[in-house]
Amino acid sequence: RRLWLLDMHIEISLSLSAGQMTDLIYTEKELVQSLKEYIKAEESKLAAVKSWANKLDVLTRVSTSDPEGYLAHPVNAYKLMKRLNTEWSELESLVLQDPSDGFISNMSVHRQYFPDEEDEKGAAKALMRLQDTYQLDSESFSKGKLPGVHSSAFLTVDDCYDMGKTAYNDADYYHAVLWMQQSLRQLDAGEEAVVSKADVLDYLSYSVYQMGDLPRAIELTRRLVAIDPSHQRAGGNLRYFERLLSKQLIELKQVYQPASEEPIQLGTYARPKDHLPERETYEALCRGEGVKMTNARRSRLFCRYRDGNRNPRLLLKPVKEEDEWDSPHIVRYLDVLSHEEIEKIKELAKPRLARATVRDPKTGVLTTANYRVSKSAWLEGEEDPVIARVNQRIEDITGLTVETAELLQVANYGVGGQYEPHYDFSRKDEPDAFKRLGTGNRVATFLNYMSDVEAGGATVFPDFGAAIWPRKGTAVFWYNLFKSGEGDYRTRHAACPVLVGSKWVSNKWIHERGQEFLRPCGLTEVD
């Protein structure tokens, strides 16, 4: 039994899990040590060559001052022959020695685990996603200033330029403007950089033009021409922009207004719309805004002890249940997983965290997809007593059988990791989504939070304005289907990007088959 993704507009990032990113930290430390050893070997080699050079310098000064007199002595004649035949060859061998072999070998071993260009691009996009979701300006990011976090992390001029270039190459001119502007701001402040101001202005002016701000594009291009009059594109672009603006002013019967002197920042330009209709609602909930928890609704939420209808495993230690939302009913269970159980699940999952596949509902083929680039692992109950125990606990708490449920899925999201709004159940236009499983639709979701998250990472429901925040050791549970088997479309939900920290979760998707007498049909379609 495996996971079938149903919504083709889901995106999960980063492509490397937080656990794998941690491994890269130690890999880099090992490479630094190897680099230091290489430098030491090079310095030792250079010291030996310098010693040879100094000795030979003294000898040649003496021999060239009176060559005939020098060679008149038989010992000097012999030593000259010996030096040129033997000692210079030894010196040549010394110079040809390559102390880099050990370092290069170490690099070769680790390179297979290095992130590639797509990973770097994904990390840049994750920062931009965080910037959008949590409304953070580029300057705050470049200085490492995040809400409630004090850090020495910072982005250089070249880092900001590379961020802007990543966006530009994707025709994402909105983010290209923000990051090129930040690169220019830091250059104007006197920061040293490899990239030139002309290069930054070149990208920035064209991106601003693409955002529809001709006056500012003209101003920036003029600045570029002043810095580099021979720039191959600047002159042509400037003339084109000026003609275009003149034409627009004539058509609109307007007078030329110079570009705003206010620096470009978050909010200067409108962010382009994308495929997600509830984008603004979703991101507001991630920031803790727009949560529709009224006093009347809060008065309907309670907490209680559950013994699973006198389940013998819960009689002596009933589970603590808290209402998170009234309709649809979402509950949180406390102390579901112990620290030791969480660590064991993570230990089992880490070696298997792999690029997730999706099932295309149209073709039925399992394949990788750009919108799902996270790492996930699947754990069977037979693999370890802890997994069997967790599966049994989910069955005891929910009163539903997990015999027809999918395997326990473990996922780890680092900074920027997210899961865009989606349904867990298959809709009517995807009738064959779970056909191969033969277990019916996903009736319910049981989601374990296996870590606290410093900032971000909430589970949000845009349809009714709920936000549920991760708390280590707890689990949330909701039904995806009404008792009639009809999908509850209100349960479309998302995992917000992790702003600071690492988020570990595990989930169990419970299916319809086997629940017929455990959750019988109601009297209406929406019971």
Side-chain angles (χ1 to χ4, degrees):
R1 294 186 294 268
R2 302 296 286 175
L3 162 71
W4 312 121
L5 268 189
L6 307 170
D7 195 321
M8 299 301 286
H9 293 303
I10 296 169
E11 182 174 357
I12 307 180
S13 295
L14 295 168
S15 56
L16 295 179
S17 70
Q20 289 168 313
M21 298 281 277
T22 302
D23 292 341
L24 290 178
I25 291 286
Y26 291 105
T27 294
E28 188 171 42
K29 182 180 180 182
E30 185 179 330
L31 289 174
V32 168
Q33 183 58 39
S34 180
L35 183 61
K36 285 181 178 178
E37 290 169 3
Y38 161 64
I39 291 169
K40 188 175 179 181
E42 284 281 19
E43 287 173 341
S44 175
K45 170 185 167 180
L46 190 58
V49 173
K50 280 183 178 178
S51 175
W52 273 92
N54 292 335
K55 182 177 73 172
L56 292 168
D57 186 42
V58 172
L59 279 170
T60 53
R61 272 205 300 268
V62 171
S63 63
T64 54
S65 63
D66 179 13
E68 289 186 11
Y70 179 81
L71 291 172
H73 197 294
V75 171
N76 287 339
Y78 163 73
K79 292 193 73 172
L80 176 64
M81 296 299 106
K82 180 174 181 286
R83 278 199 307 276
L84 291 172
N85 182 54
T86 305
E87 294 179 12
W88 274 97
S89 294
E90 291 174 2
L91 178 58
E92 182 183 27
S93 298
L94 176 62
V95 171
L96 288 173
Q97 282 180 10
D98 191 353
S100 68
D101 287 349
F103 173 68
I104 296 300
S105 175
N106 206 3
M107 279 282 290
S108 299
V109 168
H110 289 294
R111 189 177 295 280
Q112 60 183 313
Y113 304 112
F114 280 13
D116 58 21
E117 188 176 342
E118 281 302 307
D119 291 318
E120 182 183 344
K121 186 177 174 182
K125 287 186 174 182
L127 287 188
M128 295 175 207
R129 194 157 45 243
L130 292 174
Q131 182 178 28
D132 294 338
T133 304
Y134 298 105
Q135 295 185 344
L136 303 169
D137 60 76
S138 302
E139 187 170 14
S140 296
F141 251 125
S142 70
K143 293 179 179 177
K145 293 180 181 177
L146 298 177
V149 177
H150 299 284
S151 172
S152 59
F154 65 93
L155 294 172
T156 64
V157 168
D158 297 301
D159 292 333
C160 294
Y161 173 78
D162 288 338
M163 287 281 292
K165 204 169 174 184
T166 296
Y168 182 92
N169 290 338
D170 266 3
D172 177 5
Y173 301 109
Y174 172 78
H175 288 107
V177 167
L178 292 176
W179 287 101
M180 289 299 175
Q181 174 65 42
Q182 182 56 32
S183 184
L184 182 62
R185 184 183 287 119
Q186 290 176 218
L187 276 173
D188 286 343
E191 186 179 320
E192 295 291 322
V194 174
V195 66
S196 70
K197 194 172 287 190
D199 284 339
V200 175
L201 284 165
D202 188 18
Y203 280 101
L204 179 58
S205 59
Y206 188 77
S207 297
V208 166
Y209 155 68
Q210 287 287 348
M211 292 304 294
D213 190 348
L214 274 171
R216 200 186 294 261
I218 289 169
E219 177 202 314
L220 290 166
T221 309
R222 284 174 179 164
R223 188 175 170 188
L224 171 55
V225 171
I227 291 173
D228 185 2
S230 62
H231 194 281
Q232 60 178 0
R233 284 183 303 277
N237 283 354
L238 181 58
R239 289 188 293 275
Y240 174 72
F241 295 159
E242 288 174 337
R243 282 198 306 272
L244 202 57
L245 181 60
S246 176
K247 184 181 177 184
Q248 285 184 6
L249 292 173
I250 292 169
E251 288 175 355
L252 298 172
K253 296 180 181 179
Q254 293 178 347
V255 179
Y256 172 72
Q257 296 290 332
S260 169
E261 294 183 6
E262 288 292 316
I264 298 168
Q265 55 193 358
L266 205 65
T268 299
Y269 302 120
R271 189 166 133 216
K273 300 290 184 183
D274 66 5
H275 65 270
L276 208 56
E278 67 265 72
R279 171 73 65 189
E280 290 182 12
T281 304
Y282 153 55
E283 292 182 349
L285 287 170
C286 289
R287 297 190 297 272
E289 302 168 8
V291 178
K292 297 175 183 175
M293 179 56 75
T294 61
N295 289 332
R297 172 166 280 121
R298 189 174 284 108
S299 70
R300 295 193 291 270
L301 305 182
F302 300 94
C303 57
R304 62 195 69 81
Y305 285 103
R306 287 287 192 194
D307 64 7
N309 292 324
R310 309 289 292 168
N311 186 299
R313 281 178 289 270
L314 297 178
L315 276 177
L316 295 179
K317 189 182 178 183
V319 67
K320 290 172 260 186
E321 181 184 272
E322 293 179 349
D323 291 331
E324 285 282 352
W325 208 260
D326 57 343
S327 181
H329 195 205
I330 303 173
V331 296
R332 186 194 295 263
Y333 296 108
L334 278 58
D335 303 322
V336 171
L337 295 178
S338 68
H339 174 74
E340 291 73 24
E341 287 172 329
I342 288 171
E343 291 305 304
K344 185 63 180 179
I345 293 170
K346 287 161 67 174
E347 177 191 324
L348 292 168
K350 279 179 181 178
R352 307 189 203 177
L353 289 173
R355 178 75 182 270
T357 56
V358 300
R359 184 178 183 82
D360 189 322
K362 293 181 180 178
T363 65
V365 177
L366 281 173
T367 180
T368 57
N370 291 332
Y371 57 82
R372 187 170 195 257
V373 288
S374 75
K375 304 289 182 176
S376 62
W378 299 84
L379 303 179
E380 299 197 39
E382 295 79 10
E383 295 180 44
D384 192 276
V386 167
I387 306 303
R389 192 160 67 237
V390 169
N391 288 341
Q392 184 63 59
R393 190 173 302 149
I394 292 171
E395 183 168 294
D396 294 341
I397 290 171
T398 63
L400 301 172
T401 179
V402 296
E403 285 300 310
T404 55
E406 294 174 48
L407 303 182
L408 188 72
Q409 184 198 26
V410 182
N412 176 212
Y413 308 121
V415 172
Q418 72 166 9
Y419 199 149
E420 287 189 343
H422 62 284
Y423 302 100
D424 280 351
F425 63 91
S426 71
R427 275 86 69 211
K428 289 181 179 179
D429 58 345
E430 301 161 343
D432 298 332
F434 302 116
K435 189 174 182 180
R436 287 182 62 189
L437 295 182
T439 53
N441 212 339
R442 287 175 179 161
V443 68
T445 297
F446 195 97
L447 176 64
N448 296 302
Y449 292 119
M450 303 200 300
S451 66
D452 294 311
V453 180
E454 292 178 57
T459 304
V460 299
F461 294 78
D463 186 80
F464 49 90
I468 299 172
W469 303 92
R471 279 155 53 192
K472 183 178 177 180
T474 69
V476 291
F477 173 76
W478 67 86
Y479 283 103
N480 299 305
L481 306 180
F482 293 111
K483 290 181 179 180
S484 63
E486 290 295 317
D488 187 345
Y489 284 80
R490 298 173 298 172
T491 61
R492 184 170 167 88
H493 60 285
C496 296
V498 175
L499 180 57
V500 182
S502 171
K503 180 181 176 183
W504 282 89
V505 297
S506 60
N507 64 276
K508 196 79 170 169
W509 278 304
I510 302 171
H511 281 248
E512 290 178 288
R513 296 295 174 265
Q515 321 300 346
E516 292 84 356
F517 298 104
L518 300 173
R519 191 187 186 231
C521 287
L523 296 176
T524 71
E525 194 176 86
V526 293
D527 282 349

